[in-house]
Amino acid sequence: MSIHDDVEVVLLDTETVASRVRALGAELTADFGERDPVLVSVLKGSLVFLADLIRAMEMPVSIDLMEVSSYGAGTESSGQVRILKDLSGPIEGRHVVVVEDIIDTGLTLNYLLKYLADKGPASISIVCLLDKPARRLAEIPIGYTGFSIPDRFVVGYGLDYDERYRNLPYVGVLKPSVYGGAPPEG
Ligand code: PRP
């Protein structure tokens, strides 16, 4: 039994993701090369993307990690965000690049952008691997997007279902039998 057996469709295969991440790294290198940015990643889903993205950036960068969770039950963001792990260093005067795996309703990032802005960075930019515009509730100024995807529940390349499947090297959709019914929202 392999985790691959639970995948119904591969939406973005390994090489497609890798080549897009390399291109994003090159874009960020061109745009931030002399500016010593700090990449702020939001755990846990962004971990795989961050790891590949920084290796595609041929310039000095720092990283910092946050972990947040939405208040309330269910799989949908509520917009009320609790910070489980805060930044470990100051960002005042720094060029911040927020690294996200997926932007769905946008409510998590909407909160986080205000939180980070209050700390007085020189600028805040957003790079996200997957943009799911169909479900957006808060407008988010995404500077760099890997892929715009349809409104399907996706796993892999960092994204989970019930904490599993983050280690799939591609982005895919699970078989309905895995959920035992309708796929989760989000
Ligand atoms: C995902 C993702 C974003 C958020 C996006 O995290 O990493 O932080 O959801 O959703 P939104 O745009 O609707 O607010 P998730 O809560 O699944 O946690 P995880 O990264 O630890 O898996």
Side-chain angles (χ1 to χ4, degrees):
M1 180 68 194
S2 143
I3 50 171
H4 301 286
D5 297 337
D6 288 343
V7 176
E8 182 175 68
V9 182
V10 174
L11 224 55
L12 302 165
D13 66 38
T14 306
E15 186 41 45
T16 301
V17 173
S19 108
R20 186 73 191 112
V21 172
R22 282 195 297 270
L24 287 170
E27 251 188 272
L28 289 166
T29 302
D31 292 354
F32 288 90
E34 305 299 319
R35 292 200 271 163
D36 190 24
V38 53
L39 273 59
V40 172
S41 191
V42 189
L43 294 171
K44 305 170 193 156
S46 308
L47 194 62
V48 177
F49 179 38
L50 176 74
D52 284 344
L53 185 66
I54 56 173
R55 285 177 288 176
M57 296 175 72
E58 298 174 351
M59 53 183 278
V61 295
S62 334
I63 62 171
D64 207 337
L65 302 170
M66 290 187 73
E67 186 171 4
V68 301
S69 101
S70 295
Y71 278 112
T75 50
E76 294 205 50
S77 296
S78 62
Q80 296 276 77
V81 173
R82 188 159 52 113
I83 293 176
L84 303 178
K85 189 216 166 295
D86 206 342
L87 296 168
S88 51
I91 56 167
E92 189 176 354
R94 302 287 305 274
H95 293 282
V96 171
V97 180
V98 178
V99 178
E100 264 287 25
D101 53 333
I102 188 163
I103 300 178
D104 188 3
T105 63
L107 294 174
T108 305
L109 214 46
N110 192 46
Y111 174 88
L112 210 60
L113 289 175
K114 290 186 190 119
Y115 179 81
L116 294 171
D118 279 350
K119 295 183 179 296
S123 67
I124 305 180
S125 309
I126 298 164
V127 52
C128 87
L129 182 71
L130 306 175
D131 178 17
K132 209 189 256 188
R135 286 169 41 87
R136 192 76 86 252
L137 296 175
E139 200 186 323
I140 302 293
I142 310 175
Y144 306 86
T145 304
F147 303 92
S148 190
I149 60 166
D151 185 12
R152 301 191 72 181
F153 187 84
V154 291
V155 296
Y157 200 75
L159 289 100
D160 73 308
Y161 167 60
D162 208 9
E163 294 300 328
R164 301 298 168 103
Y165 305 101
R166 294 192 196 276
N167 53 324
L168 288 170
Y170 48 77
V171 176
V173 175
L174 292 172
K175 292 175 180 166
S177 57
V178 176
Y179 309 117
E185 296 263 338

